[in-house]
Amino acid sequence: MNIQWYPGHMTKAKRMMQENIKLIDIVIDLIDARIPFSSKNPDIDELAKNKFRLLLLNKADLADDAITAKWEEYYKEKGFYVARINARAGNGMKKIDALVQEACREKIERDRKRGIINRPIRAMIVGIPNVGKSTFINTYAKKACAKVGNKPGVTKGKQWIKLSKNIELLDTPGILWPKFDDVNVGLRLGFIGSINDEILNASDLTCELIKFMVNNYCNTLSDRYNIEESDDAVRVLSDIASNRACLKKGGELDIDKAASIVLDDFRSGKLGRVSLEVPAE
């Protein structure tokens, strides 16, 4: 299953980010803790070169804690300032100010030597669609500054937001990159909801997720849906449809409805804390 998605507005958004990067001191990259590699846009590294970098592993409450710890070390070794957060619940948010100050210490010291005191740090927040940027901003600012949605493409343009007396934030739309060289990247982005569901085949996508769960989180599906796990993902999905009474008129199994149930359960954490990739890969 080869997934590619790069709608035209993302090209415009990337151009806007390129035009504004000269105003920025630090780039805050929000990634999904369940897929810390696949949710990190490689184009941002080129865009943000020579800028201070803060990497936030959002939705850490949905990811495997031990694997998230490995990703923290992985990115710290690559020179990023890193923190794990749950923006919706506010967990981990209190340390972000200190991390931004620490990351921008050289810039603050340069300003001080030039007689510039207490000038706000200008940050740009970037991330793929549906990674939780708007929720992060609203939680950080302690007020509704950004429109929130549970599907990609809610943020359409840029906006400056004063987070505190020390930090001004440029919000940007969620963007992907033009081509996923690894088919697994597209799959994982589909699993977490960063690809528009309307272009995906829900049953095919869910079968791929079932294969992963059976191989890596054995008995999770059997415990949740009271079915017998097997290597036959189509049969597992059919059994879930049967047990959840997903039926069309005439009594035919509604496989697409069952697929949507499994995807929603995964995305909301009802299948437990799941990480879809590890640094060794």
Side-chain angles (χ1 to χ4, degrees):
M1 188 176 182
N2 191 354
I3 298 171
Q4 302 289 338
W5 188 54
Y6 192 70
H9 74 269
M10 291 188 183
T11 300
K12 182 180 178 182
K14 183 179 177 182
R15 190 178 305 120
M16 179 271 290
M17 292 161 70
Q18 290 169 330
E19 292 169 354
N20 285 276
I21 193 68
K22 60 182 179 292
L23 306 172
I24 300 302
D25 301 309
I26 182 171
V27 173
I28 300 175
D29 201 333
L30 204 67
I31 60 178
D32 191 301
R34 294 167 294 181
I35 52 169
F37 176 77
S38 296
S39 63
K40 185 176 178 297
N41 188 335
D43 287 352
I44 299 300
D45 289 333
E46 177 63 24
L47 176 73
K49 64 183 180 183
N50 304 320
K51 299 294 178 181
F52 303 113
R53 304 289 301 278
L54 173 58
L55 205 62
L56 299 177
L57 293 150
N58 192 28
K59 305 185 182 181
D61 58 307
L62 302 178
D64 187 313
D65 207 43
I67 294 176
T68 302
K70 293 179 181 179
W71 280 110
E72 279 188 283
E73 291 306 311
Y74 174 84
Y75 280 120
K76 284 177 181 177
E77 289 175 2
K78 290 187 175 293
F80 292 91
Y81 288 84
V82 184
R84 68 175 86 177
I85 64 169
N86 172 5
R88 188 173 298 280
N91 297 338
M93 300 291 288
K94 291 181 179 178
K95 57 189 172 188
I96 293 175
D97 262 4
L99 277 172
V100 170
Q101 296 288 328
E102 183 181 352
C104 295
R105 188 171 55 236
E106 292 178 20
K107 180 260 181 193
I108 296 169
E109 183 62 21
R110 284 197 305 268
D111 283 352
R112 189 188 64 78
K113 289 179 178 178
R114 292 159 57 195
I116 302 170
I117 307 297
N118 294 329
R119 184 169 73 178
I121 293 168
R122 285 193 152 188
M124 176 187 284
I125 179 122
V126 299
I128 64 170
N130 208 34
V131 78
K133 285 195 292 90
S134 296
T135 299
F136 165 78
I137 291 167
N138 294 340
T139 301
Y140 197 169
K142 297 182 176 64
K143 59 183 177 180
C145 304
K147 189 176 179 182
V148 177
N150 63 352
K151 61 182 180 179
V154 172
T155 303
K156 295 294 186 183
K158 71 173 183 178
Q159 60 173 329
W160 280 100
I161 298 165
K162 191 172 182 65
L163 293 179
S164 66
K165 65 179 182 180
N166 298 320
I167 302 174
E168 293 176 353
L169 185 72
L170 177 61
D171 186 18
T172 61
I175 64 168
L176 296 167
W177 51 107
K179 187 175 187 298
F180 309 138
D181 293 327
D182 182 348
V183 295
N184 288 315
V185 169
L187 281 175
R188 290 163 184 162
L189 291 171
F191 293 157
I192 69 167
S194 290
I195 305 288
N196 190 336
D197 281 335
E198 293 177 4
I199 73 161
L200 300 174
N201 183 309
S203 59
D204 286 351
L205 183 67
T206 303
C207 281
E208 295 296 332
L209 179 59
I210 287 171
K211 291 175 188 175
F212 176 86
M213 295 298 296
V214 169
N215 289 330
N216 295 276
Y217 291 89
C218 185
N219 295 326
T220 296
L221 298 178
S222 60
D223 291 344
R224 175 72 181 170
Y225 303 111
N226 192 28
I227 51 97
E228 184 178 338
E229 292 183 359
S230 78
D231 293 332
D232 187 343
V234 174
R235 196 188 86 186
V236 171
L237 185 55
S238 296
D239 289 347
I240 293 172
S242 178
N243 277 21
R244 286 301 174 94
C246 299
L247 303 174
K248 299 178 180 179
K249 286 183 179 180
E252 180 186 353
L253 289 177
D254 191 337
I255 299 300
D256 286 340
K257 183 177 180 180
S260 295
I261 289 173
V262 176
L263 282 175
D264 289 345
D265 283 353
F266 167 74
R267 292 170 181 175
S268 63
K270 291 176 182 175
L271 297 185
R273 301 182 67 156
V274 176
S275 290
L276 297 168
E277 56 193 14
V278 296
E281 295 175 351

